Amino acid sequence: MSANPADRLRKNLPVPYTKFLPEQLKRNLGKWIDRKFHGYGIIEHISETGDRIFTVKIGTPPNFRLSTSTLRELAKVADELGIGALRFTRNGNIEFITDSLDKALKIKEEAEKMGFPVGGWGPTLWSVNSCTAFLTCTTAVVDSPSITKVLYDALKPYFTGEITLPAKLRINVSGCPSACGGFTADINLVGHYGDAPTYDPERIKLCLPKSAKALETGHVPEVAEVCPTGAIKVYGKPDGTVGLDVIRSKCIACGRCRDVCDWMDFDESKAGVAVLIGGKASNTGTGPWPSVQVIPWVPAVPPDYKEIVAVVKKIVDVWRSHARTGERIGDWLNRVGFEEFYKLLNIPLTRWNQPPRFSGEFGIRQFFQRA
Amino acid sequence: MEASQKRAEVDELARSASKVLERLENGPWPSHVKELKKSKYPLEAYAAGLAARKTQWAAGSAKIRYVYTGFIARRTRDGKYAELHFRVWQPSGQIYTTDYLRRLLDFADTYGLGLIEILGQQGMMIISVDPSRADEAIDALRALGTDVGATGDTIRELATCVGPALCEFALYDTLAARDYFLTHPKIYEWMSNQLFPFKFKAKFSGCPMDCTRAVHRSDFGFVGVWEGAPEVDQELLRRKIEAGEVDPKELAARCPSGAITWDGKELKIDGAKCKKSMECIRRAFPAIKPGKNRKIAVLVGGHVKGRFGGKMGKPLAIVNSVEEAMGWVVKTVESWMDGLETGVSKHKDRIGDFIMKVNFKKYTEEILGVKVPYKPSLHGRLGAGAVLDDNERKMWLEWVQNIVKEYEERI
């Protein structure tokens, strides 16, 4: 225990970043003038100082959980063949950093020997981003890490570049509609109840006031207050306790109630994943785009999740055979329209997958359309 | 009596999950289950979740003196297993020297189970720190030059792209900008407590390709841009064309702004039309480079998780530095927090939800005192989920079974 524990109120931040950079990167900071790709997993950056730095990208296990022993092995490779540094990307891939193509190729060999695929740049599968779900999360409906694992197993040749794609592909897998794994990528799988939530009748009391008197002053318990559609009603019962009703016709299965109350529940036999597509952040092509729910429900059955794998494969195959080179899924949809996409996959049109209407372009393109 | 019955739940379920775990350990992609097994992590709660098709975790509690953010406490619904995870601030750019990384690994071995979630979005997560040594662990972490700190209704981990450390497209120093933002007196004060209606995120992308997804997933997004047309080095471009590396006709055809013309000798880009798509730059770099007059586009109100569904960022201003925008950040956060008192914002309202309630024009003019000349694009609620009846679920099941069959027949 430190002399003054109150010091902890002031966070000890890892700043400035220059303190943490290896020397080779520090002396080339902001001086990069050119780059070259060597396959789909190695990029060369060329500095005006004449230095050349090679980055080797490897895919990691779902939810990016690694044992310290594996990380020590990777660190050993980074010392022996690299410049003694690793980078963790925002999507949980690991990048080795080295100073010659020869060493980069040796790193690739070592990583593959350890079972880590190398790839993920260019017209390939860049990553499958997964939230923690059953590993840690209280609100998860389906287990995104295991869905991610079977998807990666099925799609590995797209990551390594053995089979190429029209353009970059990112997949997000989220265990519940809070979508911590994201739903802004090209293909997104998001777990949800498939119906209105249920609740544990005994334990739901932990999320409600003990006495109906508390409601008389206009107090609304958070589990009802947080609902964006007013689908949860609480009321005083004749015996003075508090009851809760879920109005099914108003519910959109968004999961906000379960966010604030662990005892909201669901029927796992009805739960599944929604498929959203077309999202992208980059300003390339038709610019940043939101993703749209096109398939409201597919069952999520462990351990093979064969329905999910088949749908993702089908979307990728249809995109591969119809898109132009360089067109991400969102760019392609933007050109051909949702109706055409629905026709290609024979997707029924329901109230849960209506084609969206947007008023303009998104992201920084909004700065180029004057009010 | 009841407690002992419940206690059997997780362990019993876990025993029936061996087949599922076996499937997840195998296959060509690296396995998370294999990694969990290489550490001291107890697999029971995860295995039970897979068997029950339901998460076994519920909110737990932990108390660490003078620390109010940065750790996550969980317990299984039957009360048998508990976890306390530390979220650790990352250095801007998430580059770790092996020396520094090994010290963090030692930390995870000493106080945790030898397991780390390395992800870059919310900071590094040290899985399951021993709660009885949590106080000591905080001190040990601080001695390594970092700290816990990105959970709950406060400032979360701020994402940057790799920026000037390893990218030729960085139009501003995203790494320095993140450091500046984190250490700004107001932000620094707020990050130690959970006083916001919900989480707050800022993201720093060096160029319009937006590797951090600032347009989708940040309350304040800072994206590097330039004014006018990209810079063309005609001589170098000619050489690239002669070498067959670049096709000028393709550059013109691919430009989504329709700003490029090629007359057979010279390539011209109309700066007034250019939407900064990066399409020509990434194909012909460094013969075509971003323009010299570099700026930062500020977007506000983007998020995925929020009460009223996901939103994309709205255009606020184009500035010369992140410093110029800090006044707006502070004003926005303060009125969003004040909203908790006045009833305008509620718990679980992100800044995007707050702006939606106040109205964008009123927010910019009355709260920020800025006249925004840009037009925000509109979209419906972004979200996932559906309330289906048995017939509807049956319809979708039949639809997907046809696709499953199609792929099974192919094999």
Side-chain angles (χ1 to χ4, degrees), chain A residues 185-187 276-280 286 289-294 315 318-319 322-324 327-342 344-345 347 355-356 358:
Chain A
D186 304 83
I187 301 177
L276 288 78
I277 66 167
K280 71 194 264 274
T286 47
W289 230 44
S291 38
V292 172
Q293 179 164 301
V294 289
I315 293 171
V318 170
W319 169 53
H322 289 83
R324 295 174 184 157
E327 259 181 348
R328 284 180 67 174
I329 290 179
D331 299 326
W332 169 58
L333 275 173
N334 219 321
R335 178 167 61 83
V336 302
F338 278 88
E339 287 79 359
E340 177 65 19
F341 173 78
Y342 284 180
L344 286 168
L345 271 95
I347 295 174
F358 305 131

mmCIF file of all heavy atoms in Angstrom, chain A residues 185-187 276-280 286 289-294 315 318-319 322-324 327-342 344-345 347 355-356 358:
data_model
loop_
_atom_site.group_PDB
_atom_site.id
_atom_site.type_symbol
_atom_site.label_atom_id
_atom_site.label_comp_id
_atom_site.label_asym_id
_atom_site.label_seq_id
_atom_site.Cartn_x
_atom_site.Cartn_y
_atom_site.Cartn_z
ATOM 1 N N ALA A 185 -19.598 -2.602 -39.095
ATOM 2 C CA ALA A 185 -18.697 -3.181 -40.091
ATOM 3 C C ALA A 185 -19.484 -3.643 -41.323
ATOM 4 O O ALA A 185 -20.681 -3.440 -41.423
ATOM 5 C CB ALA A 185 -17.942 -4.343 -39.475
ATOM 6 N N ASP A 186 -18.779 -4.294 -42.254
ATOM 7 C CA ASP A 186 -19.406 -4.733 -43.494
ATOM 8 C C ASP A 186 -20.484 -5.789 -43.227
ATOM 9 O O ASP A 186 -21.557 -5.755 -43.806
ATOM 10 C CB ASP A 186 -18.343 -5.317 -44.421
ATOM 11 C CG ASP A 186 -17.220 -4.325 -44.679
ATOM 12 O OD1 ASP A 186 -16.301 -4.229 -43.839
ATOM 13 O OD2 ASP A 186 -17.266 -3.626 -45.683
ATOM 14 N N ILE A 187 -20.160 -6.760 -42.352
ATOM 15 C CA ILE A 187 -21.153 -7.752 -41.938
ATOM 16 C C ILE A 187 -21.158 -7.776 -40.411
ATOM 17 O O ILE A 187 -20.099 -7.809 -39.786
ATOM 18 C CB ILE A 187 -20.811 -9.165 -42.470
ATOM 19 C CG1 ILE A 187 -20.745 -9.167 -44.001
ATOM 20 C CG2 ILE A 187 -21.847 -10.187 -41.990
ATOM 21 C CD1 ILE A 187 -20.351 -10.506 -44.606
ATOM 22 N N LEU A 276 -26.696 -7.512 -39.854
ATOM 23 C CA LEU A 276 -26.694 -6.140 -40.381
ATOM 24 C C LEU A 276 -25.545 -6.044 -41.373
ATOM 25 O O LEU A 276 -24.469 -6.608 -41.131
ATOM 26 C CB LEU A 276 -26.473 -5.119 -39.264
ATOM 27 C CG LEU A 276 -27.602 -4.853 -38.275
ATOM 28 C CD1 LEU A 276 -27.688 -5.963 -37.234
ATOM 29 C CD2 LEU A 276 -27.387 -3.516 -37.580
ATOM 30 N N ILE A 277 -25.749 -5.332 -42.470
ATOM 31 C CA ILE A 277 -24.633 -5.224 -43.411
ATOM 32 C C ILE A 277 -24.457 -3.796 -43.943
ATOM 33 O O ILE A 277 -25.334 -2.949 -43.804
ATOM 34 C CB ILE A 277 -24.762 -6.194 -44.616
ATOM 35 C CG1 ILE A 277 -25.955 -5.833 -45.491
ATOM 36 C CG2 ILE A 277 -24.853 -7.633 -44.169
ATOM 37 C CD1 ILE A 277 -25.921 -6.559 -46.827
ATOM 38 N N GLY A 278 -23.299 -3.584 -44.530
ATOM 39 C CA GLY A 278 -23.051 -2.348 -45.275
ATOM 40 C C GLY A 278 -22.311 -1.257 -44.526
ATOM 41 O O GLY A 278 -21.941 -0.251 -45.121
ATOM 42 N N GLY A 279 -22.088 -1.429 -43.232
ATOM 43 C CA GLY A 279 -21.455 -0.364 -42.474
ATOM 44 C C GLY A 279 -19.994 -0.180 -42.860
ATOM 45 O O GLY A 279 -19.303 -1.144 -43.155
ATOM 46 N N LYS A 280 -19.550 1.061 -42.899
ATOM 47 C CA LYS A 280 -18.115 1.318 -43.071
ATOM 48 C C LYS A 280 -17.792 2.697 -42.552
ATOM 49 O O LYS A 280 -18.650 3.588 -42.533
ATOM 50 C CB LYS A 280 -17.684 1.120 -44.530
ATOM 51 C CG LYS A 280 -18.156 2.163 -45.519
ATOM 52 C CD LYS A 280 -17.971 1.668 -46.952
ATOM 53 C CE LYS A 280 -16.683 2.161 -47.595
ATOM 54 N NZ LYS A 280 -16.844 3.485 -48.223
ATOM 55 N N THR A 286 -18.207 5.238 -51.612
ATOM 56 C CA THR A 286 -19.357 6.119 -51.381
ATOM 57 C C THR A 286 -19.363 6.712 -49.974
ATOM 58 O O THR A 286 -20.356 7.275 -49.543
ATOM 59 C CB THR A 286 -20.679 5.357 -51.634
ATOM 60 O OG1 THR A 286 -20.602 4.100 -50.975
ATOM 61 C CG2 THR A 286 -20.898 5.122 -53.101
ATOM 62 N N TRP A 289 -20.805 4.786 -43.968
ATOM 63 C CA TRP A 289 -22.198 4.347 -44.097
ATOM 64 C C TRP A 289 -22.642 3.620 -42.846
ATOM 65 O O TRP A 289 -21.866 2.889 -42.235
ATOM 66 C CB TRP A 289 -22.298 3.402 -45.308
ATOM 67 C CG TRP A 289 -23.403 3.761 -46.242
ATOM 68 C CD1 TRP A 289 -23.727 5.020 -46.680
ATOM 69 C CD2 TRP A 289 -24.348 2.864 -46.838
ATOM 70 N NE1 TRP A 289 -24.799 4.948 -47.528
ATOM 71 C CE2 TRP A 289 -25.205 3.646 -47.638
ATOM 72 C CE3 TRP A 289 -24.538 1.487 -46.777
ATOM 73 C CZ2 TRP A 289 -26.250 3.107 -48.367
ATOM 74 C CZ3 TRP A 289 -25.583 0.932 -47.503
ATOM 75 C CH2 TRP A 289 -26.432 1.735 -48.286
ATOM 76 N N PRO A 290 -23.905 3.797 -42.461
ATOM 77 C CA PRO A 290 -24.403 3.001 -41.332
ATOM 78 C C PRO A 290 -24.694 1.581 -41.797
ATOM 79 O O PRO A 290 -24.845 1.360 -42.995
ATOM 80 C CB PRO A 290 -25.712 3.706 -40.953
ATOM 81 C CG PRO A 290 -26.149 4.420 -42.165
ATOM 82 C CD PRO A 290 -24.934 4.701 -43.013
ATOM 83 N N SER A 291 -24.761 0.622 -40.895
ATOM 84 C CA SER A 291 -25.170 -0.708 -41.342
ATOM 85 C C SER A 291 -26.642 -0.909 -41.032
ATOM 86 O O SER A 291 -27.192 -0.295 -40.126
ATOM 87 C CB SER A 291 -24.307 -1.804 -40.740
ATOM 88 O OG SER A 291 -23.986 -1.513 -39.437
ATOM 89 N N VAL A 292 -27.242 -1.812 -41.794
ATOM 90 C CA VAL A 292 -28.688 -1.946 -41.788
ATOM 91 C C VAL A 292 -29.075 -3.396 -41.536
ATOM 92 O O VAL A 292 -28.458 -4.312 -42.084
ATOM 93 C CB VAL A 292 -29.225 -1.491 -43.175
ATOM 94 C CG1 VAL A 292 -30.702 -1.789 -43.298
ATOM 95 C CG2 VAL A 292 -28.949 -0.007 -43.377
ATOM 96 N N GLN A 293 -30.077 -3.585 -40.696
ATOM 97 C CA GLN A 293 -30.547 -4.946 -40.402
ATOM 98 C C GLN A 293 -31.270 -5.503 -41.629
ATOM 99 O O GLN A 293 -32.312 -5.003 -42.015
ATOM 100 C CB GLN A 293 -31.473 -4.908 -39.190
ATOM 101 C CG GLN A 293 -32.031 -6.255 -38.809
ATOM 102 C CD GLN A 293 -32.618 -6.252 -37.402
ATOM 103 O OE1 GLN A 293 -31.932 -5.976 -36.421
ATOM 104 N NE2 GLN A 293 -33.896 -6.551 -37.282
ATOM 105 N N VAL A 294 -30.688 -6.538 -42.243
ATOM 106 C CA VAL A 294 -31.306 -7.121 -43.438
ATOM 107 C C VAL A 294 -31.934 -8.479 -43.143
ATOM 108 O O VAL A 294 -32.858 -8.904 -43.831
ATOM 109 C CB VAL A 294 -30.284 -7.264 -44.595
ATOM 110 C CG1 VAL A 294 -29.918 -5.903 -45.157
ATOM 111 C CG2 VAL A 294 -29.055 -8.035 -44.178
ATOM 112 N N ILE A 315 -23.568 -14.356 -48.063
ATOM 113 C CA ILE A 315 -23.442 -12.918 -48.307
ATOM 114 C C ILE A 315 -22.095 -12.629 -48.985
ATOM 115 O O ILE A 315 -22.021 -11.878 -49.959
ATOM 116 C CB ILE A 315 -23.594 -12.110 -46.992
ATOM 117 C CG1 ILE A 315 -25.028 -12.233 -46.464
ATOM 118 C CG2 ILE A 315 -23.234 -10.635 -47.206
ATOM 119 C CD1 ILE A 315 -25.237 -11.672 -45.071
ATOM 120 N N VAL A 318 -22.201 -13.860 -52.675
ATOM 121 C CA VAL A 318 -23.007 -12.996 -53.547
ATOM 122 C C VAL A 318 -22.271 -11.686 -53.815
ATOM 123 O O VAL A 318 -22.216 -11.201 -54.948
ATOM 124 C CB VAL A 318 -24.401 -12.737 -52.920
ATOM 125 C CG1 VAL A 318 -25.156 -11.663 -53.678
ATOM 126 C CG2 VAL A 318 -25.203 -14.023 -52.896
ATOM 127 N N TRP A 319 -21.661 -11.148 -52.774
ATOM 128 C CA TRP A 319 -20.875 -9.904 -52.925
ATOM 129 C C TRP A 319 -19.698 -10.141 -53.878
ATOM 130 O O TRP A 319 -19.452 -9.354 -54.796
ATOM 131 C CB TRP A 319 -20.399 -9.461 -51.536
ATOM 132 C CG TRP A 319 -19.384 -8.364 -51.490
ATOM 133 C CD1 TRP A 319 -19.457 -7.137 -52.094
ATOM 134 C CD2 TRP A 319 -18.140 -8.384 -50.768
ATOM 135 N NE1 TRP A 319 -18.337 -6.395 -51.795
ATOM 136 C CE2 TRP A 319 -17.516 -7.125 -50.984
ATOM 137 C CE3 TRP A 319 -17.502 -9.322 -49.954
ATOM 138 C CZ2 TRP A 319 -16.273 -6.811 -50.415
ATOM 139 C CZ3 TRP A 319 -16.284 -8.994 -49.393
ATOM 140 C CH2 TRP A 319 -15.682 -7.765 -49.625
ATOM 141 N N HIS A 322 -20.876 -10.293 -57.514
ATOM 142 C CA HIS A 322 -21.592 -9.153 -58.106
ATOM 143 C C HIS A 322 -20.892 -7.810 -57.980
ATOM 144 O O HIS A 322 -21.184 -6.897 -58.742
ATOM 145 C CB HIS A 322 -22.995 -9.035 -57.511
ATOM 146 C CG HIS A 322 -23.923 -10.120 -57.964
ATOM 147 N ND1 HIS A 322 -23.959 -11.357 -57.371
ATOM 148 C CD2 HIS A 322 -24.831 -10.166 -58.968
ATOM 149 C CE1 HIS A 322 -24.843 -12.122 -57.982
ATOM 150 N NE2 HIS A 322 -25.386 -11.420 -58.953
ATOM 151 N N ALA A 323 -20.000 -7.649 -57.013
ATOM 152 C CA ALA A 323 -19.399 -6.333 -56.797
ATOM 153 C C ALA A 323 -18.249 -6.089 -57.768
ATOM 154 O O ALA A 323 -17.647 -7.031 -58.286
ATOM 155 C CB ALA A 323 -18.893 -6.221 -55.366
ATOM 156 N N ARG A 324 -17.974 -4.810 -58.024
ATOM 157 C CA ARG A 324 -16.806 -4.450 -58.827
ATOM 158 C C ARG A 324 -15.568 -4.468 -57.928
ATOM 159 O O ARG A 324 -15.671 -4.294 -56.710
ATOM 160 C CB ARG A 324 -16.973 -3.044 -59.400
ATOM 161 C CG ARG A 324 -18.123 -2.955 -60.380
ATOM 162 C CD ARG A 324 -18.339 -1.516 -60.815
ATOM 163 N NE ARG A 324 -19.506 -1.424 -61.683
ATOM 164 C CZ ARG A 324 -20.214 -0.321 -61.867
ATOM 165 N NH1 ARG A 324 -19.877 0.800 -61.255
ATOM 166 N NH2 ARG A 324 -21.244 -0.326 -62.669
ATOM 167 N N GLU A 327 -15.009 -2.444 -54.466
ATOM 168 C CA GLU A 327 -16.275 -2.067 -53.836
ATOM 169 C C GLU A 327 -16.495 -2.835 -52.545
ATOM 170 O O GLU A 327 -16.655 -4.059 -52.551
ATOM 171 C CB GLU A 327 -17.448 -2.393 -54.774
ATOM 172 C CG GLU A 327 -17.975 -1.211 -55.515
ATOM 173 C CD GLU A 327 -19.163 -1.557 -56.426
ATOM 174 O OE1 GLU A 327 -19.450 -2.745 -56.667
ATOM 175 O OE2 GLU A 327 -19.791 -0.622 -56.898
ATOM 176 N N ARG A 328 -16.534 -2.127 -51.420
ATOM 177 C CA ARG A 328 -16.899 -2.787 -50.168
ATOM 178 C C ARG A 328 -18.397 -3.053 -50.186
ATOM 179 O O ARG A 328 -19.124 -2.519 -51.030
ATOM 180 C CB ARG A 328 -16.513 -1.913 -48.982
ATOM 181 C CG ARG A 328 -15.013 -1.975 -48.744
ATOM 182 C CD ARG A 328 -14.592 -1.137 -47.596
ATOM 183 N NE ARG A 328 -15.085 -1.631 -46.302
ATOM 184 C CZ ARG A 328 -14.742 -1.100 -45.146
ATOM 185 N NH1 ARG A 328 -13.918 -0.068 -45.117
ATOM 186 N NH2 ARG A 328 -15.205 -1.576 -44.014
ATOM 187 N N ILE A 329 -18.876 -3.866 -49.251
ATOM 188 C CA ILE A 329 -20.290 -4.263 -49.288
ATOM 189 C C ILE A 329 -21.202 -3.027 -49.306
ATOM 190 O O ILE A 329 -22.154 -2.956 -50.085
ATOM 191 C CB ILE A 329 -20.629 -5.213 -48.111
ATOM 192 C CG1 ILE A 329 -19.946 -6.563 -48.359
ATOM 193 C CG2 ILE A 329 -22.135 -5.393 -47.972
ATOM 194 C CD1 ILE A 329 -20.169 -7.595 -47.270
ATOM 195 N N GLY A 330 -20.864 -2.025 -48.473
ATOM 196 C CA GLY A 330 -21.673 -0.811 -48.433
ATOM 197 C C GLY A 330 -21.667 -0.065 -49.765
ATOM 198 O O GLY A 330 -22.697 0.443 -50.221
ATOM 199 N N ASP A 331 -20.508 0.007 -50.407
ATOM 200 C CA ASP A 331 -20.403 0.688 -51.708
ATOM 201 C C ASP A 331 -21.260 -0.032 -52.749
ATOM 202 O O ASP A 331 -21.942 0.584 -53.558
ATOM 203 C CB ASP A 331 -18.943 0.712 -52.195
ATOM 204 C CG ASP A 331 -18.031 1.462 -51.242
ATOM 205 O OD1 ASP A 331 -18.487 2.436 -50.625
ATOM 206 O OD2 ASP A 331 -16.853 1.062 -51.116
ATOM 207 N N TRP A 332 -21.185 -1.363 -52.706
ATOM 208 C CA TRP A 332 -21.939 -2.179 -53.656
ATOM 209 C C TRP A 332 -23.448 -2.011 -53.436
ATOM 210 O O TRP A 332 -24.210 -1.770 -54.375
ATOM 211 C CB TRP A 332 -21.496 -3.643 -53.484
ATOM 212 C CG TRP A 332 -22.322 -4.654 -54.185
ATOM 213 C CD1 TRP A 332 -22.588 -4.717 -55.526
ATOM 214 C CD2 TRP A 332 -23.027 -5.757 -53.594
ATOM 215 N NE1 TRP A 332 -23.401 -5.799 -55.796
ATOM 216 C CE2 TRP A 332 -23.679 -6.456 -54.626
ATOM 217 C CE3 TRP A 332 -23.149 -6.230 -52.284
ATOM 218 C CZ2 TRP A 332 -24.461 -7.594 -54.400
ATOM 219 C CZ3 TRP A 332 -23.905 -7.364 -52.060
ATOM 220 C CH2 TRP A 332 -24.563 -8.034 -53.098
ATOM 221 N N LEU A 333 -23.879 -2.079 -52.162
ATOM 222 C CA LEU A 333 -25.300 -1.889 -51.838
ATOM 223 C C LEU A 333 -25.785 -0.515 -52.265
ATOM 224 O O LEU A 333 -26.890 -0.352 -52.766
ATOM 225 C CB LEU A 333 -25.493 -2.000 -50.324
ATOM 226 C CG LEU A 333 -25.669 -3.387 -49.739
ATOM 227 C CD1 LEU A 333 -25.681 -3.289 -48.229
ATOM 228 C CD2 LEU A 333 -26.963 -4.010 -50.226
ATOM 229 N N ASN A 334 -24.914 0.467 -52.056
ATOM 230 C CA ASN A 334 -25.236 1.840 -52.419
ATOM 231 C C ASN A 334 -25.512 1.941 -53.917
ATOM 232 O O ASN A 334 -26.373 2.700 -54.355
ATOM 233 C CB ASN A 334 -24.035 2.727 -52.060
ATOM 234 C CG ASN A 334 -24.462 4.046 -51.497
ATOM 235 O OD1 ASN A 334 -25.430 4.633 -51.951
ATOM 236 N ND2 ASN A 334 -23.741 4.515 -50.489
ATOM 237 N N ARG A 335 -24.777 1.166 -54.701
ATOM 238 C CA ARG A 335 -24.938 1.208 -56.161
ATOM 239 C C ARG A 335 -26.169 0.418 -56.615
ATOM 240 O O ARG A 335 -26.971 0.919 -57.390
ATOM 241 C CB ARG A 335 -23.679 0.655 -56.837
ATOM 242 C CG ARG A 335 -23.762 0.607 -58.357
ATOM 243 C CD ARG A 335 -22.401 0.370 -58.997
ATOM 244 N NE ARG A 335 -21.790 -0.897 -58.615
ATOM 245 C CZ ARG A 335 -22.062 -2.077 -59.184
ATOM 246 N NH1 ARG A 335 -22.949 -2.157 -60.159
ATOM 247 N NH2 ARG A 335 -21.450 -3.179 -58.769
ATOM 248 N N VAL A 336 -26.320 -0.813 -56.097
ATOM 249 C CA VAL A 336 -27.396 -1.658 -56.636
ATOM 250 C C VAL A 336 -28.718 -1.528 -55.866
ATOM 251 O O VAL A 336 -29.776 -1.847 -56.405
ATOM 252 C CB VAL A 336 -26.992 -3.156 -56.691
ATOM 253 C CG1 VAL A 336 -25.755 -3.336 -57.535
ATOM 254 C CG2 VAL A 336 -26.794 -3.736 -55.300
ATOM 255 N N GLY A 337 -28.653 -1.077 -54.629
ATOM 256 C CA GLY A 337 -29.877 -0.911 -53.845
ATOM 257 C C GLY A 337 -30.211 -2.155 -53.035
ATOM 258 O O GLY A 337 -29.836 -3.273 -53.391
ATOM 259 N N PHE A 338 -30.937 -1.946 -51.929
ATOM 260 C CA PHE A 338 -31.296 -3.058 -51.043
ATOM 261 C C PHE A 338 -32.252 -4.049 -51.713
ATOM 262 O O PHE A 338 -32.183 -5.246 -51.483
ATOM 263 C CB PHE A 338 -31.928 -2.515 -49.754
ATOM 264 C CG PHE A 338 -30.903 -2.070 -48.761
ATOM 265 C CD1 PHE A 338 -30.406 -0.781 -48.785
ATOM 266 C CD2 PHE A 338 -30.410 -2.951 -47.807
ATOM 267 C CE1 PHE A 338 -29.443 -0.381 -47.882
ATOM 268 C CE2 PHE A 338 -29.450 -2.548 -46.901
ATOM 269 C CZ PHE A 338 -28.962 -1.258 -46.946
ATOM 270 N N GLU A 339 -33.156 -3.515 -52.547
ATOM 271 C CA GLU A 339 -34.142 -4.396 -53.191
ATOM 272 C C GLU A 339 -33.444 -5.483 -53.996
ATOM 273 O O GLU A 339 -33.819 -6.649 -53.960
ATOM 274 C CB GLU A 339 -35.093 -3.588 -54.087
ATOM 275 C CG GLU A 339 -36.121 -2.736 -53.337
ATOM 276 C CD GLU A 339 -35.548 -1.422 -52.789
ATOM 277 O OE1 GLU A 339 -34.313 -1.165 -52.984
ATOM 278 O OE2 GLU A 339 -36.303 -0.667 -52.149
ATOM 279 N N GLU A 340 -32.393 -5.080 -54.718
ATOM 280 C CA GLU A 340 -31.638 -6.022 -55.534
ATOM 281 C C GLU A 340 -30.938 -7.058 -54.631
ATOM 282 O O GLU A 340 -30.937 -8.245 -54.935
ATOM 283 C CB GLU A 340 -30.608 -5.244 -56.379
ATOM 284 C CG GLU A 340 -29.681 -6.096 -57.231
ATOM 285 C CD GLU A 340 -30.411 -6.867 -58.324
ATOM 286 O OE1 GLU A 340 -31.558 -6.481 -58.651
ATOM 287 O OE2 GLU A 340 -29.838 -7.838 -58.843
ATOM 288 N N PHE A 341 -30.378 -6.575 -53.546
ATOM 289 C CA PHE A 341 -29.722 -7.493 -52.606
ATOM 290 C C PHE A 341 -30.721 -8.518 -52.055
ATOM 291 O O PHE A 341 -30.434 -9.703 -51.988
ATOM 292 C CB PHE A 341 -29.065 -6.689 -51.471
ATOM 293 C CG PHE A 341 -28.500 -7.549 -50.372
ATOM 294 C CD1 PHE A 341 -27.287 -8.206 -50.533
ATOM 295 C CD2 PHE A 341 -29.189 -7.718 -49.178
ATOM 296 C CE1 PHE A 341 -26.780 -9.013 -49.529
ATOM 297 C CE2 PHE A 341 -28.685 -8.515 -48.164
ATOM 298 C CZ PHE A 341 -27.478 -9.166 -48.345
ATOM 299 N N TYR A 342 -31.897 -8.043 -51.670
ATOM 300 C CA TYR A 342 -32.927 -8.938 -51.137
ATOM 301 C C TYR A 342 -33.333 -9.980 -52.177
ATOM 302 O O TYR A 342 -33.573 -11.138 -51.863
ATOM 303 C CB TYR A 342 -34.156 -8.139 -50.684
ATOM 304 C CG TYR A 342 -33.963 -7.409 -49.368
ATOM 305 C CD1 TYR A 342 -34.969 -6.629 -48.810
ATOM 306 C CD2 TYR A 342 -32.771 -7.506 -48.671
ATOM 307 C CE1 TYR A 342 -34.795 -5.962 -47.599
ATOM 308 C CE2 TYR A 342 -32.581 -6.845 -47.466
ATOM 309 C CZ TYR A 342 -33.604 -6.066 -46.937
ATOM 310 O OH TYR A 342 -33.422 -5.417 -45.748
ATOM 311 N N LEU A 344 -31.443 -11.130 -54.648
ATOM 312 C CA LEU A 344 -30.347 -12.085 -54.836
ATOM 313 C C LEU A 344 -30.330 -13.174 -53.760
ATOM 314 O O LEU A 344 -29.954 -14.303 -54.024
ATOM 315 C CB LEU A 344 -28.994 -11.355 -54.830
ATOM 316 C CG LEU A 344 -28.650 -10.545 -56.081
ATOM 317 C CD1 LEU A 344 -27.445 -9.656 -55.824
ATOM 318 C CD2 LEU A 344 -28.380 -11.469 -57.261
ATOM 319 N N LEU A 345 -30.709 -12.796 -52.542
ATOM 320 C CA LEU A 345 -30.680 -13.775 -51.459
ATOM 321 C C LEU A 345 -32.059 -14.323 -51.135
ATOM 322 O O LEU A 345 -32.210 -15.100 -50.201
ATOM 323 C CB LEU A 345 -30.064 -13.168 -50.198
ATOM 324 C CG LEU A 345 -28.550 -13.317 -50.106
ATOM 325 C CD1 LEU A 345 -27.873 -12.091 -50.644
ATOM 326 C CD2 LEU A 345 -28.101 -13.623 -48.702
ATOM 327 N N ILE A 347 -34.543 -12.837 -49.749
ATOM 328 C CA ILE A 347 -34.860 -12.454 -48.365
ATOM 329 C C ILE A 347 -36.277 -11.884 -48.304
ATOM 330 O O ILE A 347 -36.598 -10.963 -49.049
ATOM 331 C CB ILE A 347 -33.849 -11.397 -47.850
ATOM 332 C CG1 ILE A 347 -32.448 -12.002 -47.783
ATOM 333 C CG2 ILE A 347 -34.268 -10.862 -46.492
ATOM 334 C CD1 ILE A 347 -31.358 -11.006 -47.433
ATOM 335 N N PRO A 355 -35.932 -1.527 -46.262
ATOM 336 C CA PRO A 355 -34.788 -0.780 -46.795
ATOM 337 C C PRO A 355 -34.791 0.648 -46.239
ATOM 338 O O PRO A 355 -35.848 1.272 -46.170
ATOM 339 C CB PRO A 355 -35.050 -0.770 -48.300
ATOM 340 C CG PRO A 355 -35.985 -1.893 -48.551
ATOM 341 C CD PRO A 355 -36.813 -2.041 -47.313
ATOM 342 N N PRO A 356 -33.639 1.133 -45.817
ATOM 343 C CA PRO A 356 -33.582 2.450 -45.167
ATOM 344 C C PRO A 356 -33.580 3.601 -46.170
ATOM 345 O O PRO A 356 -33.289 3.404 -47.346
ATOM 346 C CB PRO A 356 -32.241 2.399 -44.449
ATOM 347 C CG PRO A 356 -31.407 1.527 -45.328
ATOM 348 C CD PRO A 356 -32.322 0.511 -45.933
ATOM 349 N N PHE A 358 -31.827 7.400 -46.503
ATOM 350 C CA PHE A 358 -30.882 8.346 -45.908
ATOM 351 C C PHE A 358 -30.999 9.684 -46.625
ATOM 352 O O PHE A 358 -31.285 9.727 -47.817
ATOM 353 C CB PHE A 358 -29.454 7.819 -46.034
ATOM 354 C CG PHE A 358 -29.253 6.449 -45.451
ATOM 355 C CD1 PHE A 358 -28.618 5.455 -46.168
ATOM 356 C CD2 PHE A 358 -29.711 6.149 -44.169
ATOM 357 C CE1 PHE A 358 -28.439 4.185 -45.632
ATOM 358 C CE2 PHE A 358 -29.539 4.880 -43.627
ATOM 359 C CZ PHE A 358 -28.897 3.903 -44.359
#
